[in-house]
Amino acid sequence: MYTLACIECGKEYDPDTVIYTCECGGLLEVRFDLDSLEINFKLDGRGMKVWKYRDLLPVTTDPVTINEGGTPLYRCEKLGKVYGIENLFVKHEGMNPSGSFKDRGMTVGVTKAIELGRTAVACASTGNTSASMAMYAAKGGLVAVVLLPKGKVAMGKVAQALIYGAKVLAIRGNFDIALELVRAVADRLGFYLLNSLNPFRLEGQKTIAFEIVDELGYVPERIVLPVGNAGNISAIYKGFNELRELGFIDSVPRMTGIQAEGARPVVDAYENGMSDIIPYGSPETLATAIRIGNPVNAVKALKAIRESGGVALSVSDEEIISAQKDLARIEGIGVEPASAASIAGLKKLIERGEISRDDDVVCVVTGHLLKDPEEIISVCDNPLEVDPDINEIRRAISTDK
Ligand SMILES: *Cc1c(COP(=O)(O)O)cnc(C)c1O
Ligand SMILES: [Zn+2]
């Protein structure tokens, strides 16, 4: 009971045709006929995982699943106190099977690929998409090809793509170039494209919204998350809207997107009142997962931010590192740099008075700490090397570092 519809011209497509953008160039989205839909799940805080919400997921076959979703939503009183808000929650998407939220999209996307009779899938990736796709392709018995920007993918992510058996190509160019290439590869060689341009992937990711309401039992004022290719913020907004249209909730949170200073086309467009972005030719940030200059879902994301009364904001790499350490050292939550952008953005918005003390805020942290060990090593002090002697050890730990 759904179609694929263009968000620009409204043209509808049969969801069983393999198509990623409209003839007019517009982005597509899955549109359910919500009135005629039978919903069997309850938002009772129980048994949360992606496929709990399958009545709102556009596939009919048995899912290719590795138990994705159901990630922890931590109440962060200590960090909230330090930053100056009372109700701060952090949803740790790094606790998904491959260590990022991409698994929510891939379980649906790979299932869809099989439903469509495809035997091979492809993506361009800053790392996590490839790790996740490789994992689900392995589980589903599909061939996987990934294009990575050479030298700009965190080590843990490359390792994952390799061990799950994907064909891994390092492109001499950045992510945006790799994405352009893989679109052509998918077209010409018949691979099913699993970048977030693929509307079915976003359907899986919208379950982040479902789980937040399911667990909290109410709608928070604000969701804060990092924005790279801008798929996730669009997906989560869609999830909240569907819950509202179905009568589960009566408001949606302010969608708040955080980018890195060196890669902030969405923030530029937001600030200049534009409905689409001007791409960056050479995006740069240590948060490699959001090192993207030409986010394909920007139009959807800008709409989500504006319609919900949210904001787009950028943070520096220094602010990202400092937030990453705060979250780790105050709450014991370990995330990769891109994820810490949401925490850095939160801090900035509180300082600017845009988020007030009694706002309920959920920060979505998108990927696990162990994805990018090299970054951690480079921003923390090295282990102290000592002789195997108790006095040496005493001396070493007393020099207050
Ligand atoms: C993919 C990713 C992002 C960016 O998400 P988009 O949907 O591309 O905006 C942010 N953080 C991490 C860890 C990611 O893997
Ligand atoms: Zn169109």
mmCIF file of all heavy atoms in Angstrom, residues 5-11 13 21-28, ligand 2:
data_model
loop_
_atom_site.group_PDB
_atom_site.id
_atom_site.type_symbol
_atom_site.label_atom_id
_atom_site.label_comp_id
_atom_site.label_asym_id
_atom_site.label_seq_id
_atom_site.Cartn_x
_atom_site.Cartn_y
_atom_site.Cartn_z
ATOM 1 N N ALA A 5 7.127 8.344 -4.842
ATOM 2 C CA ALA A 5 6.662 9.629 -5.359
ATOM 3 C C ALA A 5 7.792 10.636 -5.370
ATOM 4 O O ALA A 5 8.656 10.639 -4.487
ATOM 5 C CB ALA A 5 5.511 10.144 -4.503
ATOM 6 N N CYS A 6 7.777 11.506 -6.375
ATOM 7 C CA CYS A 6 8.788 12.552 -6.479
ATOM 8 C C CYS A 6 8.420 13.693 -5.532
ATOM 9 O O CYS A 6 7.276 14.138 -5.512
ATOM 10 C CB CYS A 6 8.859 13.067 -7.913
ATOM 11 S SG CYS A 6 9.933 14.513 -8.086
ATOM 12 N N ILE A 7 9.394 14.164 -4.751
ATOM 13 C CA ILE A 7 9.081 15.238 -3.814
ATOM 14 C C ILE A 7 9.009 16.604 -4.506
ATOM 15 O O ILE A 7 8.572 17.578 -3.916
ATOM 16 C CB ILE A 7 10.084 15.306 -2.629
ATOM 17 C CG1 ILE A 7 11.496 15.692 -3.110
ATOM 18 C CG2 ILE A 7 10.118 13.990 -1.866
ATOM 19 C CD1 ILE A 7 12.384 16.187 -1.980
ATOM 20 N N GLU A 8 9.433 16.668 -5.771
ATOM 21 C CA GLU A 8 9.384 17.941 -6.504
ATOM 22 C C GLU A 8 8.110 18.060 -7.338
ATOM 23 O O GLU A 8 7.351 19.005 -7.188
ATOM 24 C CB GLU A 8 10.602 18.084 -7.426
ATOM 25 C CG GLU A 8 11.952 17.990 -6.730
ATOM 26 C CD GLU A 8 12.300 19.226 -5.913
ATOM 27 O OE1 GLU A 8 11.597 20.251 -6.037
ATOM 28 O OE2 GLU A 8 13.280 19.152 -5.141
ATOM 29 N N CYS A 9 7.886 17.084 -8.242
ATOM 30 C CA CYS A 9 6.772 17.217 -9.190
ATOM 31 C C CYS A 9 5.595 16.307 -8.846
ATOM 32 O O CYS A 9 4.545 16.395 -9.472
ATOM 33 C CB CYS A 9 7.258 16.945 -10.614
ATOM 34 S SG CYS A 9 7.572 15.205 -10.955
ATOM 35 N N GLY A 10 5.795 15.406 -7.870
ATOM 36 C CA GLY A 10 4.678 14.561 -7.446
ATOM 37 C C GLY A 10 4.439 13.323 -8.282
ATOM 38 O O GLY A 10 3.580 12.505 -7.956
ATOM 39 N N LYS A 11 5.195 13.174 -9.374
ATOM 40 C CA LYS A 11 4.999 11.993 -10.218
ATOM 41 C C LYS A 11 5.195 10.713 -9.412
ATOM 42 O O LYS A 11 6.095 10.623 -8.588
ATOM 43 C CB LYS A 11 5.996 12.031 -11.392
ATOM 44 C CG LYS A 11 5.794 10.921 -12.411
ATOM 45 C CD LYS A 11 6.729 11.110 -13.613
ATOM 46 C CE LYS A 11 6.924 9.838 -14.390
ATOM 47 N NZ LYS A 11 5.892 9.463 -15.313
ATOM 48 N N TYR A 13 5.674 6.486 -9.142
ATOM 49 C CA TYR A 13 6.269 5.337 -9.831
ATOM 50 C C TYR A 13 5.885 4.055 -9.113
ATOM 51 O O TYR A 13 5.715 4.034 -7.884
ATOM 52 C CB TYR A 13 7.802 5.454 -9.839
ATOM 53 C CG TYR A 13 8.331 6.636 -10.624
ATOM 54 C CD1 TYR A 13 8.471 7.878 -10.019
ATOM 55 C CD2 TYR A 13 8.683 6.502 -11.967
ATOM 56 C CE1 TYR A 13 8.954 8.967 -10.734
ATOM 57 C CE2 TYR A 13 9.167 7.571 -12.685
ATOM 58 C CZ TYR A 13 9.306 8.812 -12.064
ATOM 59 O OH TYR A 13 9.780 9.874 -12.779
ATOM 60 N N THR A 21 15.913 8.368 -8.796
ATOM 61 C CA THR A 21 15.451 9.756 -8.843
ATOM 62 C C THR A 21 14.385 9.880 -9.931
ATOM 63 O O THR A 21 14.319 9.058 -10.840
ATOM 64 C CB THR A 21 16.595 10.748 -9.176
ATOM 65 O OG1 THR A 21 17.270 10.299 -10.349
ATOM 66 C CG2 THR A 21 17.587 10.879 -8.022
ATOM 67 N N CYS A 22 13.583 10.932 -9.828
ATOM 68 C CA CYS A 22 12.509 11.164 -10.796
ATOM 69 C C CYS A 22 13.091 11.599 -12.141
ATOM 70 O O CYS A 22 14.208 12.101 -12.219
ATOM 71 C CB CYS A 22 11.591 12.246 -10.245
ATOM 72 S SG CYS A 22 10.209 12.651 -11.323
ATOM 73 N N GLU A 23 12.286 11.437 -13.179
ATOM 74 C CA GLU A 23 12.682 11.946 -14.512
ATOM 75 C C GLU A 23 13.036 13.423 -14.444
ATOM 76 O O GLU A 23 13.877 13.910 -15.184
ATOM 77 C CB GLU A 23 11.528 11.774 -15.506
ATOM 78 C CG GLU A 23 11.309 10.350 -15.944
ATOM 79 C CD GLU A 23 9.912 10.137 -16.523
ATOM 80 O OE1 GLU A 23 9.158 11.126 -16.666
ATOM 81 O OE2 GLU A 23 9.591 8.970 -16.822
ATOM 82 N N CYS A 24 12.363 14.159 -13.551
ATOM 83 C CA CYS A 24 12.607 15.599 -13.427
ATOM 84 C C CYS A 24 13.873 15.890 -12.628
ATOM 85 O O CYS A 24 14.275 17.035 -12.475
ATOM 86 C CB CYS A 24 11.402 16.294 -12.775
ATOM 87 S SG CYS A 24 11.371 16.187 -10.970
ATOM 88 N N GLY A 25 14.488 14.851 -12.107
ATOM 89 C CA GLY A 25 15.707 15.033 -11.315
ATOM 90 C C GLY A 25 15.446 15.087 -9.815
ATOM 91 O O GLY A 25 16.378 15.060 -9.016
ATOM 92 N N GLY A 26 14.175 15.169 -9.437
ATOM 93 C CA GLY A 26 13.812 15.277 -8.018
ATOM 94 C C GLY A 26 14.063 13.984 -7.245
ATOM 95 O O GLY A 26 14.157 12.902 -7.828
ATOM 96 N N LEU A 27 14.161 14.124 -5.925
ATOM 97 C CA LEU A 27 14.320 12.958 -5.055
ATOM 98 C C LEU A 27 12.995 12.214 -4.933
ATOM 99 O O LEU A 27 11.926 12.823 -4.984
ATOM 100 C CB LEU A 27 14.763 13.407 -3.658
ATOM 101 C CG LEU A 27 16.149 14.029 -3.538
ATOM 102 C CD1 LEU A 27 16.303 14.709 -2.174
ATOM 103 C CD2 LEU A 27 17.238 12.980 -3.751
ATOM 104 N N LEU A 28 13.088 10.902 -4.745
ATOM 105 C CA LEU A 28 11.885 10.102 -4.556
ATOM 106 C C LEU A 28 11.698 9.776 -3.085
ATOM 107 O O LEU A 28 12.661 9.754 -2.326
ATOM 108 C CB LEU A 28 12.005 8.794 -5.344
ATOM 109 C CG LEU A 28 12.153 8.937 -6.860
ATOM 110 C CD1 LEU A 28 12.375 7.569 -7.495
ATOM 111 C CD2 LEU A 28 10.925 9.619 -7.466
HETATM 112 ZN ZN ZN B 2 9.728 14.741 -10.424
#
